[in-house]
Amino acid sequence: MSLRPIPALLLLGFLLAGAAAAQSPSYLHFESGPVRPMALLPSGENLYVTNTSDNRLEVFSTGGGTIQHVTSVPVGMEPVAVAIHGTDAWVVNHLSDSVSIVDLSVSPFVVRRTLLVGDEPRDIVFGGPGGNRAFITTAHRGQHRTDASIAAVPGAGDPQLTTPGVPRADVWVFDATNLGSTIGGTPLEIVSLFGDTPRALTVSNDGSTVYAAVFHSGNQTTAVGEPAVCNGFAGASSCTVDGGTAPGGNPGPSTNHQFVTAPEVGLIVQYDEASGEWRDELARDWSPIVRFDLPDHDVFAIDATTLSQTSVYDHVGTILFNMATNPANGKVYVTNGDSQNLTRFEGDGTFGGSTVQGNLSQYRVSILSGASTVEARHLNKHIDYGIRPAPAGTSDHSIATPLDMAFTADGSKLYVAAFGSGKVGVYDTSDLEDDSFDPTVVSAGHIDLTGGGPAGLALHESEERLYVYTRFDNSIAIVDTTTDTQIGSLPLSDPEPSEVVVGRPMLYDANKTSSNGEASCSSCHIFGDLDSLAWDLGDPDGDITSNVMPATPAGLGGQGGAAPNEFHPMKGPMTTQTLRGMQNGGGMHWRGDRVDGFFGQDVPYLTMGGNDAGNEALNFDNFIVAFPGLVGGATPATDPGLQADMMDFTDFALEIVLPPNPVRALSNALSPSESSALTFYDTQLSDGVATCNGCHDLEPANGFFGTGGLASFENETQNVKVPHLRNMYQKVGMFGMPNLGGFLNGDGSHQGDQIRGFGFLHDGSVDTLFRFFRAVVFALPGIGFANDGERRDMEELMLAFDSDIAPIVGQQVTDDGSVNADVAARITLLRARAAASFTSKLLGGVVTECDLIAKGVVSGETRGALYDPIADVWVPDRQADPTLTQAQLDALADVPGQVVTYTCAPPGSGVRMALDRDLDGALDRD
């Protein structure tokens, strides 16, 4: 983490209060993905842009073919979308689980109300009667959906994280003209759709229908676990598994090119609708083994008046990014990626015969019409994936990671923000709809940009301008639509450290990292996170490599024909891991199999724990081989330029932080069942060898949240690194598996429709955490779980597992002077958490859970203040002003026209966010 200086002009009391947090970085990086970051007033008079990294809504005036910055409005943390309703701008705050309603009718602009919504909201549109209903996508979890103040709202309450067959795509619906008197607004309904977390929204031209797209919608693939695959590879005959017949073994090859026997592993299968069977690459039927159904519901149509689902569109794509409605014919366009995870192996395919190299995700625009018609248009159909590397010039015609879209008013032209290509694609919609376009021809009309990562578009046709939000340089590019060329760029304020800015392109830039201009690391690590899929990225052409990781007390087992201290390259299916929270993580990959990779043990990074296997920077550097071997780049890993870029990528990736756990209570207190499970976790032998904590280290002072970076043998066919446990809640939604291997502990029955094809374990083949804990030995006194109640308690603890930052971080409340006991109670909670200390290596040691800030308008000025929990006073953003008590701050909010919004900022960020935006030592009002 890059440390920023704390200004010297603060009061002594605040300096003393902030001493613990003074070592914390002034900026934490979450890499939230932009969704709808730009909005124009209907008149085109003003442009509004979400400044994600600086937690602000930026306002620009337009006219005369240019734009000018007008003002900057503090909102919640990590804003990713904005929409205009009347004289308000509604801003979706991804990390704060909130929506800031900015009043544009007053001067200065001010947040007049904060809505509290579900976890990680992403998009917002307006529709329904009078266009007055706000629709907001969120995950089906989070503390706000169980708040007592909305208990009577249809759809609110327990998210049922351990219940099969539950819809987990939430759309919160508010009446913009009647938000209710509850603390965070009273939704009309929380509409739950049968999919995973949703992202994009769009609305029909008449406002009567709202469309919601599932983000990680999947592609009807799942993993058959190794115990359910007959031993013997391609030569194996069928075998019986929990009363069902498995059709044979892993397709192989059974060795690598050195002819060392591979470990027995599972395989990925996909549902074939024509036959009604779960099939592998050999078209063998695994239906007797897969004990659930996986409908591929991707986009849902919602009646904006009745809030009922009216239709569903299947097979739109695997990862759905954004949506837009053609104003001429009402067809819905969806930018998406079609993941190719059924294809096995990285490398060149010489020995194994197949490879996914350069063909990770095929980027498309899918066009929806009628009640269920879906027509997918591959934007890069010029790519021949059989030629690796791709011929020179291929990438010139490619579009990577298509995000936002904008139509001309007549619907004849479509602009597409190509986040991974540094340009805006320009298409004739009739050519897209009939699939007659030629990428090698239309690419001549694409718009090249000087700033990378175009993520948002705002078309101002009367001014002949297209405004583009470019995330890599955090700027607004100005495009002349008569010539389709960029004519200017205006930077936004950006607190990101240089290592974030410099290293970010290595995650996304397909032109930089692949030869065909389509593939990048972000093809699977979506916005630095996961894709909810498993991939078999073994390499039959790979060599046996050494494993230098130390082992936990459980010891090491076998690796097929490789020795216990070696890695066989044929590792089988592995779920995509998040790039978040890798600090202090040591070895990476499920097996930690980059600990002795390309760079060896001699890279001059600080060694952790006396062993390079614990050096996460070295481990990440070693992934350089994935650029030619997996992404399909033409540059060899030995190239000095690529090596320098890789180290920049490492510096960037190790900055990304996991968000707060949305399941854990905002007070950070454990429930009785979670507390009981933690006692078990720390003290009782779970498997006859060690406690849970003996392998899954929970040591915040050392940055360990489930892993200490060691390896373990857990009755698997190969050794794995002990994984962290901070994001188990992201993996909920697959229910149904046979009794097999060590998991002979359920009824094995068919569980019906589910929303996710991959669950837990390295290959995603285990459906629930409860199933894990049922597999733990409990036959001996004092060892393992005594009953299913204890297992359920442990499952609850895992879903609410401790993390690097406290659950209160990002949380907000707005005090508008109205009498509301819940608002006062929430302010009290925020103050209490700002005074509560905990230990975090990421944040520099013992720190308070958050830096509590207050922003608002006082006497016609935008003001800020930072809470000093030791003196119990508020420090203002003008050096000459006295500190304020809470009662005095409350009184300011009681004045008509004055509103105060409180936010729990990350420890160390409070000075920057409340008092000194640019950290130049002069407070903002000075």
Side-chain angles (χ1 to χ4, degrees):
M1 289 288 172
S2 296
L3 301 183
R4 302 288 185 87
I6 299 296
L9 300 179
L10 305 182
L11 298 176
L12 178 60
F14 169 68
L15 288 175
L16 294 174
Q23 299 303 310
S24 299
S26 67
Y27 175 83
L28 286 186
H29 180 58
F30 298 96
E31 195 60 15
S32 301
V35 182
R36 188 186 300 272
M38 307 181 78
L40 271 171
L41 281 181
S43 64
E45 180 181 353
N46 280 348
L47 174 69
Y48 301 89
V49 182
T50 58
N51 189 343
T52 303
S53 55
D54 207 19
N55 309 312
R56 301 201 175 224
L57 178 68
E58 308 289 357
V59 183
F60 299 85
S61 62
T62 64
T66 188
I67 59 174
Q68 182 174 354
H69 190 258
V70 174
T71 190
S72 188
V73 184
V75 289
M77 291 197 63
E78 304 283 303
V80 295
V82 58
I84 305 301
H85 180 265
T87 57
D88 291 328
W90 292 48
V91 182
V92 176
N93 305 308
H94 186 64
L95 193 82
S96 288
D97 302 339
S98 68
V99 175
S100 300
I101 302 178
V102 181
D103 189 342
L104 307 176
S105 67
V106 297
S107 181
F109 299 159
V110 64
V111 174
R112 67 174 178 85
R113 186 76 185 268
T114 298
L115 305 181
L116 305 180
V117 296
D119 185 40
E120 296 186 340
R122 287 181 165 88
D123 201 6
I124 180 171
V125 296
F126 290 90
N132 289 323
R133 288 185 172 178
F135 296 77
I136 302 153
T137 51
T138 84
H140 184 80
R141 56 179 181 253
Q143 301 92 340
H144 299 154
R145 77 179 328 278
T146 58
D147 192 275
S149 65
I150 62 166
V153 171
D158 182 4
Q160 298 177 288
L161 297 178
T162 61
T163 303
V166 172
R168 301 190 186 278
D170 282 358
V171 179
W172 289 53
V173 186
F174 290 87
D175 181 347
T177 65
N178 182 16
L179 295 174
S181 59
T182 55
I183 178 175
T186 307
L188 297 173
E189 185 172 337
I190 300 174
V191 179
S192 293
L193 308 169
F194 200 81
D196 203 348
T197 302
R199 173 178 159 95
L201 292 164
T202 192
V203 63
S204 62
N205 292 328
D206 63 2
S208 65
T209 302
V210 169
Y211 300 87
V214 175
F215 187 15
H216 296 182
S217 68
N219 56 3
Q220 292 184 296
T221 56
T222 189
V224 175
E226 181 274 328
V229 179
C230 310
N231 289 339
F233 292 93
S237 58
S238 62
C239 57
T240 300
V241 176
D242 192 26
T245 300
N250 187 287
S254 60
T255 74
N256 71 330
H257 75 107
Q258 297 167 308
F259 300 104
V260 178
T261 302
E264 294 281 355
V265 294
L267 75 162
I268 298 172
V269 298
Q270 187 172 44
Y271 185 70
D272 178 69
E273 293 203 341
S275 64
E277 298 174 350
W278 286 94
R279 291 182 168 182
D280 63 13
E281 63 188 68
L282 302 178
R284 296 178 299 181
D285 181 16
W286 292 85
S287 300
I289 308 302
V290 180
R291 304 291 168 85
F292 63 94
D293 295 324
L294 191 62
D296 190 22
H297 299 330
D298 291 358
V299 176
F300 298 84
I302 304 168
D303 186 305
T305 299
T306 65
L307 304 183
S308 60
Q309 178 184 320
T310 57
S311 59
V312 62
Y313 300 85
D314 295 345
H315 317 308
V316 177
T318 309
I319 304 294
L320 309 187
F321 292 113
N322 286 55
M323 293 197 295
T325 303
N326 188 318
N329 59 21
K331 293 184 178 182
V332 172
Y333 285 42
V334 187
T335 51
N336 65 91
D338 182 29
S339 300
Q340 304 297 302
N341 64 314
L342 194 65
T343 302
R344 295 184 300 149
F345 305 145
E346 61 178 310
D348 58 22
T350 300
F351 186 81
S354 64
T355 178
V356 74
Q357 183 185 108
N359 188 16
L360 299 169
S361 182
Q362 297 180 7
Y363 290 118
R364 317 184 306 185
V365 170
S366 294
I367 302 170
L368 317 184
S369 59
S372 61
T373 301
V374 178
E375 298 172 303
R377 305 298 184 232
H378 184 196
L379 298 178
N380 301 318
K381 55 187 177 180
H382 64 290
I383 296 176
D384 183 342
Y385 297 103
I387 302 176
R388 301 177 300 273
T394 301
S395 63
D396 296 340
H397 313 298
S398 299
I399 291 292
T401 318
L403 297 185
D404 202 8
M405 292 171 284
F407 287 96
T408 53
D410 64 2
S412 65
K413 182 183 288 188
L414 176 71
Y415 297 95
V416 180
F419 192 68
S421 303
K423 59 189 174 185
V424 174
V426 184
Y427 297 92
D428 184 308
T429 55
S430 63
D431 291 343
L432 271 176
E433 292 184 5
D434 65 19
D435 202 19
S436 63
F437 71 98
D438 181 346
T440 64
V441 175
V442 299
S443 60
H446 294 339
I447 304 167
D448 292 323
L449 304 171
T450 57
L457 302 174
L459 181 61
H460 195 178
E461 283 194 84
S462 64
E463 291 286 341
E464 299 178 331
R465 292 294 180 264
L466 175 70
Y467 303 113
V468 186
Y469 172 52
T470 50
R471 182 71 181 95
F472 290 3
D473 62 349
N474 213 40
S475 298
I476 307 301
I478 306 168
V479 172
D480 184 332
T481 56
T482 62
T483 61
D484 280 346
T485 57
Q486 180 178 335
I487 59 173
S489 180
L490 192 63
L492 308 181
S493 62
D494 191 356
E496 293 179 331
S498 61
E499 53 265 35
V500 170
V501 176
V502 171
R504 179 181 278 121
M506 291 300 291
L507 174 60
Y508 301 104
D509 192 336
N511 289 324
K512 189 179 184 69
T513 61
S514 73
S515 59
N516 63 25
E518 182 178 58
S520 71
C521 294
S522 69
S523 298
C524 304
H525 295 285
I526 313 298
F527 297 113
D529 199 12
L530 41 75
D531 60 3
S532 303
L533 300 174
W535 300 74
D536 186 343
L537 300 182
D539 184 3
D541 298 298
D543 296 337
I544 305 297
T545 58
S546 60
N547 175 11
V548 300
M549 282 192 300
T552 68
L556 290 175
Q559 297 269 67
N565 63 345
E566 294 177 329
F567 290 119
H568 197 289
M570 303 286 285
K571 55 194 172 185
M574 304 272 180
T575 56
T576 304
Q577 290 186 324
T578 182
L579 299 186
R580 299 168 167 181
M582 294 187 298
Q583 312 90 340
N584 311 309
M588 297 170 190
H589 251 194
W590 279 101
R591 302 188 306 177
D593 53 11
R594 299 297 191 196
V595 296
D596 191 21
F598 180 81
F599 284 100
Q601 298 294 311
D602 300 320
V603 174
Y605 277 90
L606 177 65
T607 298
M608 294 175 55
N611 188 301
D612 275 339
N615 183 340
E616 66 270 6
L618 167 64
N619 277 268
F620 199 86
D621 280 343
N622 284 334
F623 278 87
I624 191 172
V625 296
F627 285 113
L630 177 59
V631 179
T635 305
T638 54
D639 180 77
L642 181 59
Q643 292 181 12
D645 286 341
M646 187 68 215
M647 294 201 183
D648 288 340
F649 188 16
T650 297
D651 292 341
F652 160 78
L654 294 181
E655 290 281 329
I656 306 176
V657 177
L658 282 157
N661 188 313
V663 179
R664 199 175 179 98
L666 293 179
S667 65
N668 215 1
L670 297 177
S671 69
S673 59
E674 292 164 358
S675 181
S676 175
L678 183 60
T679 299
F680 182 107
Y681 187 94
D682 286 334
T683 62
Q684 189 165 346
L685 293 180
S686 62
D687 57 3
V689 179
T691 65
C692 299
N693 201 24
C695 294
H696 289 280
D697 297 12
L698 178 55
E699 301 177 42
N702 290 319
F704 299 155
F705 294 92
T707 183
L710 304 180
S712 179
F713 167 64
E714 298 296 338
N715 203 31
E716 289 285 316
T717 56
Q718 54 190 324
N719 305 317
V720 295
K721 177 198 159 191
V722 178
H724 77 98
L725 299 172
R726 291 167 293 180
N727 66 339
M728 296 299 97
Y729 62 86
Q730 285 185 291
K731 299 174 182 288
V732 169
M734 170 184 145
F735 294 83
M737 65 176 290
N739 290 298
L740 49 85
F743 301 101
L744 301 169
N745 44 46
D747 62 15
S749 64
H750 197 279
Q751 295 295 303
D753 286 353
Q754 304 300 324
I755 65 158
R756 181 189 296 274
F758 298 94
F760 301 90
L761 203 64
H762 67 278
D763 59 5
S765 64
V766 176
D767 56 353
T768 65
L769 290 166
F770 181 70
R771 176 80 72 137
F772 266 125
F773 302 133
R774 266 199 157 190
V776 174
V777 176
F778 62 94
L780 300 176
I783 297 177
F785 299 95
N787 53 56
D788 280 353
E790 287 188 350
R791 296 186 186 94
R792 287 296 183 196
D793 289 349
M794 187 61 72
E795 186 175 34
E796 288 189 32
L797 177 65
M798 293 298 102
L799 294 174
F801 205 74
D802 206 355
S803 192
D804 304 84
I805 56 179
I808 200 68
V809 169
Q811 294 299 306
Q812 294 191 287
V813 68
T814 292
D815 183 1
D816 61 2
S818 60
V819 179
N820 191 321
D822 289 337
V823 171
R826 189 170 176 91
I827 295 172
T828 299
L829 171 64
L830 299 182
R831 291 171 64 202
R833 303 330 300 165
S837 62
F838 78 121
T839 303
S840 170
K841 184 173 182 179
L842 171 73
L843 299 172
V846 179
V847 296
T848 55
E849 289 190 4
C850 73
D851 285 356
L852 181 57
I853 71 171
K855 303 291 287 190
V857 171
V858 177
S859 299
E861 289 184 319
T862 299
R863 298 298 305 269
L866 176 62
Y867 182 56
D868 175 347
I870 293 180
D872 192 22
V873 295
W874 288 87
V875 180
D877 58 355
R878 179 177 285 131
Q879 180 70 17
D881 288 353
T883 59
L884 300 170
T885 65
Q886 184 62 53
Q888 290 172 318
L889 193 56
D890 291 342
L892 291 176
D894 290 339
V895 176
Q898 297 189 169
V899 182
V900 177
T901 296
Y902 298 81
T903 305
C904 251
S909 299
V911 170
R912 175 181 58 82
M913 291 177 62
L915 307 180
D916 186 3
R917 183 182 185 185
D918 55 9
L919 293 178
D920 64 351
L923 302 189
D924 290 341
R925 299 313 307 183
D926 289 329

